[in-house]
Amino acid sequence: MKHPIDYSEYVRRLYHNENPNISSCRNVTFVVTEACDLRCTYCYEAHKCAKYMTFDVAKKIVDLIFKLSETDDSEFINTKTKAVILDFIGGEPLLNIKVIAQTCDYFWHKALELHHRWADTFRISMISNGVNYFKPDVQEFIKKYHNRLSFGITIDGDKDMHDACRIHPDGSGSWEEANAAQMHYHEHYGDTLSTKVTIAPENLEHLDKIIKFFIENGYTEIFANPVYEVEWTVEQSKIYYEKLKHIADYIIDNGLKDKVFISLFDNNLFKPIPEEEQHPYCGGTGDMCAFGTDGKAYPCLRYMELSLNGSQPEICIGNCERGIYQTESEKAILDDMASVTRRSSTTDECYYCPIASGCGNCSAWSYQKHGTYNKKDVGICWMHRARSLANAYYYHKIKEDFTLNLQKEFALQIVDESEYNELLKG
Amino acid sequence: MKEVVKINSEDSNLIERKFYEHAAGKDNVAFLMHDKDIAWETLQHYIDVVESRFFELEKTKERLSKKYEPKEFVGKSYNYSFDFNDESITYEMA
């Protein structure tokens, strides 16, 4: 399976030889609306309401990031920032397509007039539920920007699985609209069919069917991860292991090893992380910036009230008028976030974990749950352990190198001793 | 007759960048031409940029294809294509 590279990695690859000091790419998130036309059962944005970003606010954000790009006063964006990704999210972003289109036009014209490096390198990113995809102004936007646009439509699997959770306010499913939009986009703009599957307790039992559905429908890049906001149990990890084995068998039996990328299998992961690697997994501690509909700035969308739902105070780091990390309290937040390392945010057990690589977390979820982003939540542990076992199963079966580093005492809670011994052999 | 020749990372990186920048330049021109009120001066600047990037790209393609040309292809007529992920050039007799 060839690992697809994201745009940030791509820019780094292109320009690394020219200038090894470039910070290749930064994501600037515009929450263009908090409104959504679906009522998905698992959505973490519980505070959805009819707030929309105006073009005036979006324009100020664009002006701010261009200003930041001219000096080295900001760690986030500065003279070394080779590219930016304008990430439009919601709610459902396409509900505010007019402002998205105006913002992109304004950004590109400004970059061209300034002869700015971003005229060549900027990208637009958006993930939609697909409901508004066929509206004329959406189609016009996609047609105009498709060369610079990374556009995804969320589909949870086949019609039954999708419609069980992704529903309209009247309870009806949205699969037909989402699937039609995805197929149209693929047919007209020739992108690789790609999707991201969020694994939740509700769909864990169907994981193998979901992956199979996508493969059978022509998807060749399937990203998947269990949600962080769950305290996964050993019982659920046993189910996960069995489902991953089914997926592994399906890939092997159908000769799909080199045709389909599934992020759940990766033989570069499940190893200890070297001491020198201290950057935290999640970029939500200073590597990103999200602007709310009113122009207030946050380290990530997940630090907004929209996501925190009153569980913690939101963390605001400035606004589009005066900039980010300007006041003493904002500078203190930046310093505190910059001090978060892998060592500072993990227990010894986690830090020295023999399968630490690839074990993800969300810093804002840590903040929401524990009151601090400087504490890696361990709710995902059992799922990561099960995944390491399933990777041993898969890579040994296709006769590729894989060392099973998971501690025996954990492995034996998921599989029996004879299966464990088989997985060790390779 | 077909032959795949591995090229060094620096050369692969260079030619990939030239392709990328040329395509980006063409996008810029297309965007400006889409405007109702075309800014002619800006447009002319970016047309010039694309033209110069095109020549740069062609020069680099030519240079690298000669640098890695397999012996059997010397003096013959052939087509070639770059694979950036594989860091290689595929030569094929015309």
Side-chain angles (χ1 to χ4, degrees), chain A residues 2 7 10-11 13-18 104-105 108-109 111-116 119-121 123 140 144-145 147-148, chain B residues 9-11 13-14 16-17 20-21 23-25 27-29 31-32 34-35 39 42 45-46 49 53 83-86:
Chain A
K2 191 171 273 184
Y7 186 63
Y10 179 66
V11 172
R13 182 171 91 185
L14 284 186
Y15 290 97
H16 179 77
N17 288 338
E18 199 180 67
C104 293
D105 282 354
W108 206 344
H109 276 125
L112 290 165
E113 280 156 22
L114 294 172
H115 297 176
H116 197 285
D120 286 338
T121 59
R123 287 291 182 275
E140 192 187 327
K144 184 173 179 182
Y145 280 97
N147 279 351
R148 299 292 181 101
Chain B
S9 295
E10 216 166 291
D11 284 338
N13 190 257
L14 174 73
E16 185 176 20
R17 203 162 67 232
Y20 168 84
E21 286 172 351
D27 286 346
N28 288 336
V29 169
F31 174 73
L32 286 167
H34 194 275
D35 282 345
T42 314
H45 168 80
Y46 282 99
V49 168
R53 285 179 183 178
D83 183 333
F84 310 125
N85 291 321
D86 189 44

Side-chain angles (χ1 to χ4, degrees), chain B residues 38-61:
Chain B
I38 293 175
W40 291 105
E41 209 175 305
T42 314
L43 178 62
Q44 188 55 54
H45 168 80
Y46 282 99
I47 289 172
D48 293 344
V49 168
V50 171
E51 202 171 38
S52 93
R53 285 179 183 178
F54 174 75
F55 285 120
E56 272 293 306
L57 170 65
E58 288 303 314
K59 245 169 46 188
T60 312
K61 277 164 67 179

Side-chain angles (χ1 to χ4, degrees), chain A residues 22-289:
Chain A
I22 61 160
S23 77
S24 58
C25 200
R26 289 297 200 195
N27 267 62
V28 180
T29 302
F30 296 70
V31 180
V32 287
T33 179
E34 293 185 14
C36 185
D37 38 13
L38 293 186
R39 294 291 177 271
C40 303
T41 54
Y42 48 60
C43 184
Y44 62 83
E45 292 180 5
H47 273 213
K48 284 200 194 84
C49 54
K51 286 183 187 166
Y52 289 81
M53 185 179 278
T54 61
F55 176 54
D56 185 49
V57 166
K59 190 167 169 278
K60 284 175 183 161
I61 297 167
V62 171
D63 290 339
L64 172 66
I65 60 175
F66 272 103
K67 194 174 156 203
L68 293 175
S69 78
E70 289 163 6
T71 70
D72 286 324
D73 295 344
S74 159
E75 277 292 310
F76 176 57
I77 284 177
N78 51 47
T79 59
K80 294 188 274 296
T81 311
K82 188 73 190 174
V84 285
I85 298 173
L86 310 178
D87 189 16
F88 296 100
I89 64 171
E92 165 51 37
L94 293 186
L95 289 173
N96 202 2
I97 187 65
K98 190 178 169 197
V99 166
I100 293 173
Q102 284 175 314
T103 308
C104 293
D105 282 354
Y106 179 70
F107 179 95
W108 206 344
H109 276 125
K110 184 158 181 152
L112 290 165
E113 280 156 22
L114 294 172
H115 297 176
H116 197 285
R117 58 192 178 279
W118 291 346
D120 286 338
T121 59
F122 88 99
R123 287 291 182 275
I124 302 158
S125 166
M126 217 185 296
I127 294 177
S128 164
N129 60 31
V131 172
N132 298 284
Y133 175 84
F134 288 102
K135 288 189 173 164
D137 43 0
V138 173
Q139 285 301 303
E140 192 187 327
F141 174 81
I142 294 173
K143 200 173 170 189
K144 184 173 179 182
Y145 280 97
H146 72 272
N147 279 351
R148 299 292 181 101
L149 177 65
S150 161
F151 185 72
I153 291 158
T154 311
I155 297 182
D156 282 0
D158 68 18
K159 184 170 164 49
D160 288 345
M161 274 175 262
H162 185 92
D163 287 350
C165 299
R166 299 187 66 79
I167 52 174
H168 288 277
D170 67 1
S172 62
S174 61
W175 189 86
E176 300 287 353
E177 293 138 294
N179 190 53
Q182 176 71 285
M183 290 304 142
H184 181 275
Y185 186 74
H186 178 57
E187 191 183 323
H188 289 81
Y189 302 106
D191 259 7
T192 303
L193 265 176
S194 171
T195 191
K196 182 173 175 290
V197 178
T198 300
I199 305 166
E202 293 85 348
N203 66 5
L204 178 63
E205 287 279 359
H206 308 292
L207 181 62
D208 48 348
K209 282 188 219 148
I210 292 170
I211 302 287
K212 204 173 149 194
F213 165 81
F214 284 120
I215 294 173
E216 285 174 350
N217 284 277
Y219 288 72
T220 53
E221 286 178 8
I222 301 165
F223 297 85
N225 67 276
V227 292
Y228 299 123
E229 296 88 345
V230 167
E231 196 74 35
W232 292 96
T233 65
V234 66
E235 288 311 311
Q236 287 167 320
S237 78
K238 288 179 189 173
I239 299 168
Y240 190 39
Y241 173 68
E242 289 302 323
K243 298 294 166 189
L244 290 175
K245 267 174 65 179
H246 291 167
I247 296 166
D249 289 338
Y250 179 77
I251 296 168
I252 296 164
D253 295 346
N254 291 282
L256 299 168
K257 181 172 83 74
D258 299 317
K259 294 178 184 155
V260 177
F261 167 80
I262 300 174
S263 68
L264 293 165
F265 299 103
D266 188 338
N267 54 358
N268 290 314
L269 305 181
F270 312 104
K271 298 167 186 166
I273 299 178
E275 286 279 332
E276 59 271 23
E277 281 182 33
Q278 285 297 331
H279 197 73
Y281 178 91
C282 175
T285 49
D287 290 345
M288 309 189 291
C289 187

Side-chain angles (χ1 to χ4, degrees), chain A residues 354-368:
Chain A
I355 59 164
S357 62
C359 180
N361 72 301
C362 164
S363 64
W365 168 242
S366 291
Y367 173 66
Q368 188 172 349

Side-chain angles (χ1 to χ4, degrees), chain A residues 312-323:
Chain A
Q312 298 287 347
E314 59 177 18
I315 295 183
C316 182
I317 55 163
N319 64 46
C320 61
E321 303 267 357
R322 59 173 173 77

